[in-house]
Amino acid sequence: MNKIKNTLFYIIVVGGLSALMYIISGWGKILQEGLAIRSIVAPTDAWDNFAGTIAENAMHPVPLLLVQIVVIIMAARLLGVICKRIGQPMVIGEILAGIALGPSLVGVYFPEFTHFVFPEISLGNLYLVSQIGLILFMFVVGMELDFQIFNKKANEALVISHVGIVVPFTMGFGLAYILYPQFAPQGVAYLPFALFMGIAMSIAAFPVMARIVQERGLYKQKIGSVVITCAAVDDITAWSLLATIIAVVKAGSFVSALYTIAAAIAFILFMFFVVRPFLKRIGDLHPSPETLSKPIVSIFFIVVILSAWATELIGIHVLFGAFVAGVIMPQDKKFRHIFIQKVEDVALVLFLPLFFVYTGLRTEIGLLNDVHLWKIAGLICLVATVGKFGATFLASKFTGQSWRNSLIIGSLMNTRGLMELIALNIGLDLGVISEEVFAMLVIMALFTTFMTGPFLNLIDRIFKQKNMHQRLHISKFDVLVSFANPQMGRVLLRLADCFIKKQPAAVSVLHISPENTLYHYNLEEYEAESFAPVLEEADELGRPVTTLFKSATDIENEITEMGNTGKYDLLLVSVGQSIFEGSLLGKVLGYTTKIINPENLLNKVTGKEKLFAGASPFDDRTRQILAKSTIPVGIFLNKNFDEANYVVLVIKRLADIYLLKYAELLVKNNGSSLTIFDPDHVIRRHSSLNDAVDELRETYQGRVATLRDKTLDKTWLISQDLVLVSLEGWKTALENGDAWVEHKVSMLVVKV
């Protein structure tokens, strides 16, 4: 009754007032004609008017910026993934995406696209937004510096880092003498040009190094702490030098810059001895996400903004202020972790790609249109590599590092990455370096970052270091359990134990953390927290396990590589739910993702995967694991699994005979009661399968039964603990709509 009354009230009010406005509009038209006032808008074709409005709105700064952001993020992610597939940091792909969208590639072959998406008039807005991203990025980089590590390795890190700065800086200073006559911008003195060439040769990429240390598991070794400490010292020293150089350039001479340098020192002292204690007090009072309210967060952001504003006002660039603001944040790891999580994703995913593209739009590789210019670019790469790599390698060896560790330190410290691009853009903005030199130095940044991965692989090959996922045991049936959620890790370990309870076997438990590009110094704490529930379960089962931990971006690749290299007898993973299933828009987006994903395109070309495959509750990561694994994989669909006392084995085809091996392990080692479900009478029609089942039934009398009914009784099925089925058999059951697939019983889908 209320619904009808509300509907009538709605119709009367809305309909009545609409009619009243229509009547008043008619009166207004009569009034307009009486006053002889003509309409301002000339009558035009309705569609032309609409199309013109759309075109005009598309070029408005805000819609244009939104289109630019979408194009930039898609290109950055696409090339980032491609680089990741070939073992390079994603930052390489993101930088290449920026260069590709600029005048070096797209601007040459698709100039209309460049003029439409990146018109000259819009670059100012893109620059301002990218600077916001850089401010947040440098703030997070500052927070990444863990001063506690300085106490352990400060002496040797200081020697390695400063030698690794002074030597390439001097070489760059000397290289400037060769380049200055031909490549220095008009009116630029030698000193500013030489100082920027020196700093360009000596900067290292702290975030990229931290990522590589995570990926390769170096943080667990002594070499990891040395590298991170060296990188941190390098970061502080290089950015202090850069701030000094900026002051010199803006002031015109070193003597004139003394006022700026004095103001910068006063600023740093104020931040460390006045602002830092105040922020520490706030951090002590608000150490958890629950107490870190929005007003408190706003205080920290105000500090960042004011710090950046102050350094720009002094004359040493906004990024140095953001960096200092990050350094003076409260040192408590939990607090920094909370705050970094609030900032990092927005800074890295949304804003930083804008900076890469802005850099790419300023990089014209086409300017290097002569063999002589490419020789100069090669000389710059050679000087940068010999200076940074050679100096840090020799300094590392001098401080007592082994040959292998010295080579690793030299290779990692030679990585330039994003930090180099930031310095180069500052130099170009100040007019100290020309566009040709800018393009050459961008190439150098890419080259030195690209060579790090292959060189580290070569070092490992030469010194034959054992990989973290090498097999530690040789036994009859080894299992690798991979988990994302620690509680699910407990369940998977319990399932694995059912297979091997009474026989010698090794269980390795693997957890791969989604890579956090910057935040690295709490990895050991995070690892302990992740494995705690699993190790507790292992103690209860009396099952010794080997734990494997890594931080990576391409988690499915790491899982399959671990399994394939270790040659395990079974890889156990739990299934995830795809975000692209369950809605029309989700399916469309899912197909689009497959089309633009280079990995899926490769799988389609090689026939490993159909582009428009049928619906599946498996997420893309699970499908990738299945596609790439060369060892048996068990995909576990958990429905409150606790034990495997009652097991159902589903036979859908002759090839499912391999499942008998896994079923026998459960019967033999766990004492499970096994029911073999044969709805299509496959066993009776194939003598080899029938003989294998008969042998199993005779060996374990009273514990193996065969069921040939077309369907399974729902009540009986719910009483079972686990359904064992092959991947192809499971797919067939899904396509046929077999009722047992939908029942709430745990399933293990096996693919060999």
Side-chain angles (χ1 to χ4, degrees):
M1 188 66 183
N2 280 340
K3 189 178 291 187
I4 296 173
K5 183 176 68 173
N6 292 341
T7 304
L8 288 174
F9 176 75
Y10 177 83
I11 292 172
I12 291 170
V13 173
V14 176
L17 292 178
S18 299
L20 180 61
M21 285 188 288
Y22 178 78
I23 294 169
I24 295 173
S25 176
W27 292 346
K29 189 174 182 182
I30 296 171
L31 180 64
Q32 171 190 320
E33 291 172 354
L35 296 174
I37 298 174
R38 280 190 284 179
S39 174
I40 296 174
V41 181
T44 57
D45 179 78
W47 172 254
D48 290 342
N49 188 38
F50 174 73
T53 302
I54 293 294
E56 183 180 345
N57 291 341
M59 298 310 295
H60 189 274
V62 174
L64 183 59
L65 180 61
L66 296 178
V67 170
Q68 289 172 343
I69 290 173
V70 171
V71 171
I72 289 167
I73 291 177
M74 290 179 65
R77 298 307 296 174
L78 177 62
L79 288 179
V81 167
I82 292 175
C83 282
K84 193 65 183 176
R85 294 288 187 264
I86 60 174
Q88 290 295 326
M90 288 187 70
V91 69
I92 289 283
E94 292 165 350
I95 295 172
L96 289 175
I99 295 174
L101 290 173
S104 300
L105 183 62
V106 174
V108 174
Y109 298 102
F110 306 98
E112 297 83 4
F113 176 83
T114 300
H115 294 323
F116 176 73
V117 180
F118 301 105
E120 190 74 27
I121 195 172
S122 71
L123 297 187
N125 296 331
L126 192 62
Y127 169 77
L128 290 175
V129 177
S130 69
Q131 289 302 298
I132 294 173
L134 283 182
I135 288 171
L136 294 175
F137 173 76
M138 291 305 299
F139 172 56
V140 175
V141 170
M143 279 196 288
E144 273 293 288
L145 296 179
D146 182 11
F147 286 99
Q148 294 178 8
I149 64 175
F150 293 158
N151 298 330
K152 302 176 183 177
K153 304 289 180 182
N155 184 267
E156 57 185 299
L158 194 68
V159 172
I160 295 170
S161 177
H162 283 185
V163 170
I165 287 178
V166 171
V167 172
F169 192 97
T170 305
M171 293 179 70
F173 203 89
L175 180 64
Y177 185 81
I178 300 173
L179 303 182
Y180 180 75
Q182 183 179 355
F183 296 104
Q186 190 71 28
V188 173
Y190 173 76
L191 181 62
F193 181 77
L195 288 174
F196 257 93
M197 287 302 299
I199 200 68
M201 297 296 108
S202 54
I203 277 180
F206 174 75
V208 178
M209 274 189 276
R211 175 187 292 184
I212 295 172
V213 168
Q214 289 176 22
E215 288 182 346
R216 294 179 175 265
L218 295 174
Y219 70 95
K220 292 184 176 181
Q221 305 171 23
K222 290 183 180 179
I223 181 66
S225 61
V226 173
V227 169
I228 291 297
T229 310
C230 289
V233 173
D234 197 288
D235 228 26
I236 295 172
T237 307
W239 281 98
S240 299
L241 273 174
L242 183 60
T244 305
I245 291 170
I246 293 170
V248 172
V249 171
K250 287 187 175 182
S253 68
F254 185 78
V255 176
S256 301
L258 289 178
Y259 292 105
T260 302
I261 294 171
I265 293 172
F267 163 77
I268 293 172
L269 293 174
F270 175 78
M271 293 294 285
F272 270 86
F273 294 103
V274 178
V275 180
R276 189 183 187 190
F278 171 67
L279 297 182
K280 182 181 183 302
R281 174 66 175 166
I282 297 176
D284 292 340
L285 295 174
H286 303 276
S288 65
E290 294 77 16
T291 58
L292 199 62
S293 60
K294 287 181 175 60
I296 300 300
V297 172
S298 67
I299 294 174
F300 291 100
F301 277 116
I302 289 172
V303 169
V304 176
I305 294 168
L306 288 178
S307 178
W309 172 80
T311 52
E312 182 67 20
L313 202 65
I314 292 170
I316 54 173
H317 210 276
V318 294
L319 298 184
F320 185 76
F323 177 73
V324 172
V327 171
I328 67 166
M329 286 293 116
Q331 286 293 303
D332 182 74
K333 290 184 178 182
K334 288 185 178 179
F335 175 86
R336 290 199 169 199
H337 178 58
I338 293 167
F339 212 87
I340 287 173
Q341 284 185 323
K342 289 179 177 290
V343 177
E344 189 177 38
D345 286 344
V346 175
L348 295 183
V349 177
L350 182 61
F351 286 123
L352 269 189
L354 305 187
F355 171 73
F356 291 133
V357 170
Y358 181 74
T359 302
L361 292 171
R362 310 175 84 188
T363 305
E364 295 189 54
I365 305 297
L367 292 174
L368 309 183
N369 54 7
D370 186 84
V371 175
H372 170 69
L373 297 178
W374 281 101
K375 287 181 179 179
I376 296 296
L379 177 63
I380 290 174
C381 292
L382 180 64
V383 170
T385 303
V386 171
K388 194 72 175 178
F389 173 82
T392 50
F393 165 71
L394 292 175
S396 300
K397 198 73 185 72
F398 179 81
T399 58
Q401 295 290 331
S402 66
W403 285 98
R404 172 183 176 269
N405 288 353
S406 298
L407 288 169
I408 289 176
I409 293 171
S411 182
L412 287 170
M413 295 295 285
N414 189 46
T415 305
R416 298 310 198 286
L418 171 61
M419 310 304 282
E420 178 78 14
L421 295 189
I422 294 174
L424 297 183
N425 274 275
I426 292 173
L428 189 60
D429 288 336
L430 293 174
V432 177
I433 57 176
S434 64
E435 292 182 350
E436 291 90 347
V437 173
F438 180 79
M440 293 175 187
L441 291 173
V442 168
I443 292 172
M444 180 270 288
L446 286 168
F447 173 76
T448 53
T449 307
F450 189 89
M451 68 179 287
T452 303
F455 199 79
L456 289 175
N457 292 337
L458 179 62
I459 293 171
D460 282 341
R461 194 174 298 117
I462 291 173
F463 289 91
K464 298 179 181 179
Q465 288 295 305
K466 292 183 178 181
N467 210 315
M468 67 174 286
H469 56 265
Q470 281 186 308
R471 294 288 294 278
L472 302 176
H473 304 277
I474 299 175
S475 55
K476 295 181 179 178
F477 194 86
D478 291 354
V479 182
L480 175 62
V481 173
S482 175
F483 70 91
N485 180 282
Q487 295 305 320
M488 179 54 67
R490 297 190 70 149
V491 177
L492 288 173
L493 180 59
R494 202 178 309 136
L495 174 61
D497 187 66
C498 291
F499 283 98
I500 56 176
K501 193 172 291 183
K502 294 181 180 178
Q503 72 178 63
V507 177
S508 298
V509 185
L510 168 67
H511 177 62
I512 299 181
S513 166
E515 183 182 274
N516 204 327
T517 306
L518 298 178
Y519 194 67
H520 67 277
Y521 55 73
N522 74 325
L523 276 180
E524 293 184 15
E525 181 181 338
Y526 174 81
E527 179 181 354
E529 291 177 357
S530 300
F531 281 104
V534 180
L535 293 177
E536 182 182 332
E537 183 69 28
D539 288 340
E540 292 178 7
L541 296 171
R543 167 64 57 187
V545 298
T546 300
T547 59
L548 304 172
F549 175 75
K550 204 173 185 183
S551 176
T553 301
D554 295 330
I555 294 178
E556 68 277 7
N557 280 337
E558 294 293 341
I559 293 173
T560 52
E561 184 182 347
M562 291 278 191
N564 295 342
T565 306
K567 297 180 181 178
Y568 292 90
D569 298 294
L570 180 63
L571 165 62
L572 279 179
V573 296
S574 61
V575 70
Q577 296 296 317
S578 174
I579 64 171
F580 299 120
E581 298 297 335
S583 67
L584 177 61
L585 177 60
K587 292 179 186 292
V588 172
L589 291 175
Y591 294 146
T592 305
T593 302
K594 284 189 175 185
I595 291 170
I596 67 173
N597 188 320
E599 188 72 30
N600 288 328
L601 281 177
L602 178 62
N603 287 340
K604 175 171 168 51
V605 171
T606 56
K608 291 182 179 179
E609 182 179 344
K610 295 180 180 179
L611 182 59
F612 298 101
S616 167
F618 285 173
D619 61 349
D620 289 334
R621 181 170 295 167
T622 307
R623 286 198 288 265
Q624 289 290 328
I625 291 172
L626 288 170
K628 297 177 181 180
S629 288
T630 58
I631 62 172
V633 181
I635 308 295
F636 184 57
L637 292 83
N638 184 37
K639 302 290 183 181
N640 300 316
F641 177 82
D642 185 57
E643 53 190 3
N645 292 335
Y646 299 96
V647 179
V648 178
L649 171 61
V650 180
I651 298 293
K652 297 290 289 184
R653 58 193 188 128
L654 176 61
D656 290 348
I657 191 171
Y658 70 83
L659 291 175
L660 294 177
K661 166 189 172 183
Y662 299 98
E664 182 176 8
L665 287 173
L666 291 171
V667 176
K668 175 184 177 182
N669 294 319
N670 193 61
S672 304
S673 295
L674 176 67
T675 301
I676 302 175
F677 178 46
D678 182 23
D680 301 321
H681 304 290
V682 178
I683 297 174
R684 190 165 55 186
R685 288 187 284 107
H686 296 90
S687 58
S688 58
L689 187 55
N690 189 62
D691 291 344
V693 171
D694 285 344
E695 182 180 349
L696 192 64
R697 194 183 297 117
E698 289 176 10
T699 304
Y700 304 99
Q701 292 183 10
R703 283 192 283 161
V704 179
T706 306
L707 186 64
R708 293 189 175 90
D709 295 345
K710 281 292 184 183
T711 59
L712 290 173
D713 179 73
K714 181 178 180 180
T715 305
W716 176 82
L717 184 59
I718 291 176
S719 68
Q720 303 298 296
D721 297 316
L722 181 69
V723 172
L724 193 62
V725 62
S726 69
L727 177 62
E728 293 303 321
W730 183 73
K731 286 181 178 178
T732 302
L734 275 178
E735 292 170 0
N736 296 340
D738 292 355
W740 60 267
V741 176
E742 304 298 330
H743 286 320
K744 294 183 178 180
V745 58
S746 297
M747 293 187 192
L748 184 63
V749 182
V750 182
K751 175 249 180 184
V752 295

